[in-house]
Amino acid sequence: MRLEDLAAYEILEKRRIEDLNSDSYIVRHKKTGARLALLSNDDDNKVFYIGFRTPPKDSTGVAHIIEHTVLCGSKDFPLKDPFVELVKGSLNTFLNAITYPDKTVYPVASCNDTDFQNLMHVYLDAVFYPNIYKTDKIFKQEGWHYEMEDESSDLTINGVVYNEMKGAFSTADDVLSREIQNSLYPDITYGIESGGDPDVIPELTYEDYLDFHRKYYHPSNSYIYLYGDMDMAEKLDYIDREYLSKFDHLEVDSEIKSQEKFSEPKEIHKAYPVLSTDSLEKNTYLSYNCSVGSTLEKKIYIALGTLNYALCSAPGAPVKKALIDKGIGQDVYSEYDNGIKQPIFSIVAKNADASQKDEFVKTIREVLEDQVKNGIDRKSLLAGLSYDEFKYREADFGRFPKGLLYGLQVLDSWLYDDMLPWIHIEANDTFAELKKEVDTGYFENIITEYLLDNTHRTVLLLEPEQGLTEKKDEELRKKLKAYRDSLSKEEIEKIVKETKELREYQEEPDDPENLRKIPLLKLEDLKKEAEKFIYEERNENGVKILFHDIFTNGIAYLTFVFDIKNIDASELPYMATLKKLLGMLDTEHYSYRDLYNEINIKTGGISGSISTYTDSADVTKFETTFEISVKVLHENLSDAFRLVKEIITSSNFDDVKRIKEIFDEQYARLQSDLASAGHQTAALRAMSYVSPAASVSDSVSGIGYFRQLEHMISIIGTDEGAAVIVDNLKRLCKSIFRPENLLVDITGTEKEYQGVPKESELFAKALFTDSYDKGQFKMTPVKKNEAFVTAGQVQYVCRAGNYANKGLKYTGALRVLKVMMGYDYLWRNIRVLGGAYGCMSSYAKNGDAAFVTYRDPNLKNSIDVFEKASDYLRNFDADDRVILQYIIGAISDLDTPKTPSGKGSYGLTAYLCRAKMENIQKNRDQLLGTTKETIRGLADYVDAFMEDNCVCVIGTADKIEESKELFGAVEQLVQS
């Protein structure tokens, strides 16, 4: 069957896209007008999504709540959570749903043909025939509901989306992004919070929610995308036969309106919450925001990304440098949001003062005017273009399928013009054009038109307000109390009854017959052999080289691995600082600005990391390394070696002013990152109480490092303090970057390997050979059990420990336990019943293990759930089908397709861990052989790590105060 033979569709365009090695089709479903965009190629990581234009009219979060709830049961799959059942038992490489300001998208991906078809079926059924019309309990669980346990209880509000958005409204960076968009587009959909404002979510009624689905979730308003190696005609025939043909055409008014251009710029002031003890000084965000044309302008779409780099994002970029030099903000950056109809270009100074607003605007405009008058630095433009083009050609998105990222980018234009899905992912010609424009004044004209003369702009001040969270909480308590007091006895009884009925609904098991309707692969469909690691150790003229012979399409992935076993563990924070400074300071031949441009012109980027590798034969031992990674086209290989050598042997650590700038910038970023990724922060900190390896990680990237960074910032302003920091950095370079510590890791083919031996020899000879005092790398964990208070409205709760310390050895069945806990026991008790947005567990080969929650309204209740986990496991009972689901889910996580660089990293990890293939295979066999008896036996592992009783919580003052007996120390996460 050919696409051309499908009577239900008309092909509007068919052509070859060489950039993507794909045949493209723009297709229309004749009966309903459903839009389809297809990319047919040889990629076996297939992608499907169905999306809808969903412009909300208010901030009740209706689009977001619909996204959650349509996945809670449908006509063909009438169980409470088919999404979770899919995750448990699918080989998917991606499975999720995403709410944007103007669209909602349901993407799936898989390399398995049967699995891919199953995923399509469940998602299509979910969006067109959801169970949300059959019961309001789905709406209450995922959206919001009043809650009272009995007639004497306080009235509260709960719901997954409600709690998720309380978390989203708690971090300043999230608030800033939302307020920037709202400030520029107050009269259209972008002036509304599609995710839902927690203050407004409870205004959403069940009927309005259903009406939103009725209006927008129709084929006539749909966007369907298929990518990869499949029979496209067969898929389209299925979609028409089973779904689209069942509907008639419907006129759906979902047009995304454009904001009328402002006649003059606007100034807007908004508040974000800080603790009552936080300083108000140097805590304001200043932003200069411009509406920059249309996302359908193909050339400007990329050009503005280049200007983002050249003007502000790159170290030493003119706007960034001018603001930093004037002390306006600790962290200055720019952002270009081109995922909406009217893109936004913003320049932000973080940790500034409101009094600096006028100077902030004046400085930006003076610098931009100078750039127009005297010309933008040519190398900066070329570096920005080269960096973006390298990323485009490489198409390496880590664990995310490239077809998925292409598909989401397609919507940047397709959503606003049915015939323009490809303009932003077919970019080779655009890059070539823009390179020719570097010397023509093109980029300078964009600055004039969009950033200087443009009246459609705002200056937004996001200012700290002490106790704003407490104030909002008190207002909500009063509002709920007043509402409760206004209720009759019968109305109170009704809420109590509905609370009980919702819990009964949540706890009631699904009908086994309905569970069996979820399609499931067979055990024989799963690959039995573990993925082999690829590496060959070579010794070239005294330099140890690890070679991974993998096709990389002409890119060499280089990692310079330095053993740090002779460094004292107390120096870890300085090592983490060194990692951030390298490449950001002047060197012998470059200013730091020129160096950054040179890196991005000659390579695909240089980055540093500090890693730990557990010895597979003795998990009490681990190796810590300082690594510098480079990706580079084969023809520029010598430049990669040259630039890394330049950075590590001649960086100017005497430039204390520049070092302080980098410290301040890093502090401002960590301040946000540690709170917004509170689940990771809490888990790492909790595990550091018992695990030496986790202690290392916390010391170089977690709270431990953040505290040391605060100390370094406090002393660098004195001559004595600066001297200590500079001396430590210089000494570390001479201690780490030595030939005896070096391993050169290279991923590529023999072609990419050519030149590596000679370059490695020259590189090693240029390293430090001075004598130095050797330290002793020994970490001694200290149990603290801490709580860190933030101005947020939710908790991140972790309970951690180590099972290997109790004599238990890693088994592949722990991967099955991770899936089972995350989508069964913890999911039901933490998310479904508790209302938290997320929950997870982890079990590492060195014995480190943890339970953790994400955007959680609870604290003690969640720890109680953790406490009962082993009892649940000991009494676990399920049929073979359920066990198979968990096995498939675990294999899916284990077998996520690796990019060429990912395969190289897999080999490097195996080498440094001294892993043996027979043990890797043994772990896989254990996974595949998991039974309910195996799972019951894993209760011992949970008891073992829970016995350590390591607790860390990042959360609100009131919840932490209620459970203060759990903690040895309570302090603010950010100490002013």
Side-chain angles (χ1 to χ4, degrees), residues 447-501:
I447 293 176
T448 300
E449 180 178 354
Y450 290 111
L451 306 184
L452 285 171
D453 294 349
N454 183 8
T455 56
H456 195 167
R457 68 175 191 268
T458 62
V459 174
L460 171 68
L461 289 81
L462 188 66
E463 299 169 274
E465 182 174 331
Q466 291 175 334
L468 180 59
T469 297
E470 293 87 340
K471 178 182 172 184
K472 279 183 167 291
D473 287 346
E474 182 59 27
E475 287 174 354
L476 179 60
R477 274 192 287 271
K478 287 180 178 177
K479 184 177 179 181
L480 289 172
K481 184 179 185 305
Y483 180 60
R484 187 192 189 285
D485 292 343
S486 73
L487 297 173
S488 65
K489 185 174 184 297
E490 291 74 19
E491 288 170 325
I492 288 175
E493 289 173 350
K494 183 176 182 234
I495 292 176
V496 172
K497 179 171 176 284
E498 289 176 346
T499 300
K500 182 182 178 185
E501 288 172 347

Side-chain angles (χ1 to χ4, degrees), residues 53 100-103 181 185 188-190 254-259 291-297 301 336-344 411-417 424:
R53 276 201 305 221
Y100 294 93
D102 54 11
K103 57 186 174 281
Q181 187 171 285
Y185 308 116
I188 59 171
T189 189
Y190 304 132
S254 65
E255 180 190 357
I256 309 303
K257 303 285 196 300
S258 295
Q259 174 71 45
S291 176
V292 287
S294 164
T295 191
L296 296 177
E297 296 173 273
Y301 180 93
Y336 173 45
D337 179 3
N338 52 13
I340 56 177
K341 187 177 184 180
Q342 293 172 275
I344 299 170
L411 287 166
D412 289 356
S413 54
W414 192 25
L415 199 74
Y416 317 110
D417 190 315
H424 299 317

Side-chain angles (χ1 to χ4, degrees), residues 655-665 713 716-717:
D655 188 350
V656 174
K657 176 177 177 291
R658 176 63 184 150
I659 290 175
K660 185 179 185 309
E661 289 174 0
I662 297 169
F663 279 6
D664 286 344
E665 179 179 294
I713 289 172
I716 198 171

Side-chain angles (χ1 to χ4, degrees), residues 378-614:
R378 185 176 183 275
K379 269 205 160 184
S380 292
L381 290 174
L382 289 173
L385 282 167
S386 295
Y387 179 79
D388 287 342
E389 185 177 18
F390 189 100
K391 299 294 287 182
Y392 170 72
R393 290 177 180 271
E394 181 189 28
D396 184 344
F397 304 103
R399 290 176 64 89
F400 296 104
K402 65 181 178 182
L404 168 70
L405 275 296
Y406 289 152
L408 296 178
Q409 193 174 12
V410 157
L411 287 166
D412 289 356
S413 54
W414 192 25
L415 199 74
Y416 317 110
D417 190 315
D418 291 354
M419 292 303 296
L420 294 178
W422 316 125
I423 61 172
H424 299 317
I425 63 170
E426 188 177 15
N428 277 333
D429 288 346
T430 310
F431 281 115
E433 279 185 56
L434 287 171
K435 286 176 184 176
K436 294 175 183 175
E437 299 282 19
V438 166
D439 296 315
T440 67
Y442 174 80
F443 287 94
E444 288 79 2
N445 289 337
I446 291 177
I447 293 176
T448 300
E449 180 178 354
Y450 290 111
L451 306 184
L452 285 171
D453 294 349
N454 183 8
T455 56
H456 195 167
R457 68 175 191 268
T458 62
V459 174
L460 171 68
L461 289 81
L462 188 66
E463 299 169 274
E465 182 174 331
Q466 291 175 334
L468 180 59
T469 297
E470 293 87 340
K471 178 182 172 184
K472 279 183 167 291
D473 287 346
E474 182 59 27
E475 287 174 354
L476 179 60
R477 274 192 287 271
K478 287 180 178 177
K479 184 177 179 181
L480 289 172
K481 184 179 185 305
Y483 180 60
R484 187 192 189 285
D485 292 343
S486 73
L487 297 173
S488 65
K489 185 174 184 297
E490 291 74 19
E491 288 170 325
I492 288 175
E493 289 173 350
K494 183 176 182 234
I495 292 176
V496 172
K497 179 171 176 284
E498 289 176 346
T499 300
K500 182 182 178 185
E501 288 172 347
L502 177 58
R503 184 163 290 268
E504 288 172 349
Y505 167 81
Q506 293 168 327
E507 292 179 336
E508 182 184 359
D510 281 304
D511 182 339
E513 287 300 316
N514 287 336
L515 283 169
R516 279 191 280 274
K517 291 177 181 177
I518 289 286
L520 192 64
L521 299 173
K522 299 181 178 65
L523 192 60
E524 50 265 33
D525 293 327
L526 307 182
K527 192 172 68 172
K528 302 300 185 291
E529 287 191 4
E531 181 177 356
K532 290 182 168 52
F533 32 78
I534 301 168
Y535 67 76
E536 177 188 347
E537 184 181 334
R538 297 179 176 180
N539 195 301
E540 305 275 11
N541 300 315
V543 181
K544 190 184 292 183
I545 300 176
L546 198 68
F547 174 48
H548 312 276
D549 191 354
I550 296 165
F551 178 73
T552 57
N553 201 25
I555 298 172
Y557 294 96
L558 271 172
T559 302
F560 300 88
V561 182
F562 291 92
D563 191 330
I564 61 169
K565 63 177 176 290
N566 292 325
I567 305 301
D568 197 273
S570 64
E571 297 177 304
L572 276 170
Y574 280 100
M575 244 178 292
T577 299
L578 179 64
K579 178 189 71 172
K580 295 293 184 182
L581 293 173
L582 292 176
M584 298 293 172
L585 299 172
D586 292 349
T587 62
E588 182 182 356
H589 298 105
Y590 296 96
S591 69
Y592 69 86
R593 181 184 181 187
D594 290 338
L595 174 65
Y596 199 76
N597 287 336
E598 183 75 359
I599 287 170
N600 287 305
I601 288 172
K602 298 294 188 183
T603 78
I606 298 177
S607 60
S609 61
I610 299 171
S611 302
T612 60
Y613 299 93
T614 299

Side-chain angles (χ1 to χ4, degrees), residues 59-77:
S59 293
T60 58
V62 59
H64 190 185
I65 295 170
I66 292 281
E67 176 234 300
H68 277 240
T69 54
V70 298
L71 296 171
C72 292
S74 64
K75 177 170 64 70
D76 286 357
F77 308 103

Side-chain angles (χ1 to χ4, degrees), residues 821-866:
M821 296 302 285
Y823 291 104
D824 187 326
Y825 178 76
L826 293 180
W827 180 275
R828 282 189 291 104
N829 291 285
I830 299 292
R831 177 170 166 132
V832 175
L833 296 175
Y837 181 49
C839 52
M840 55 223 75
S841 65
S842 62
Y843 316 91
K845 289 189 176 181
N846 68 353
D848 291 350
F851 293 145
V852 62
T853 69
Y854 180 75
R855 292 184 179 173
D856 188 351
N858 305 302
L859 193 164
K860 185 66 168 64
N861 288 354
S862 294
I863 290 178
D864 289 344
V865 171
F866 299 160

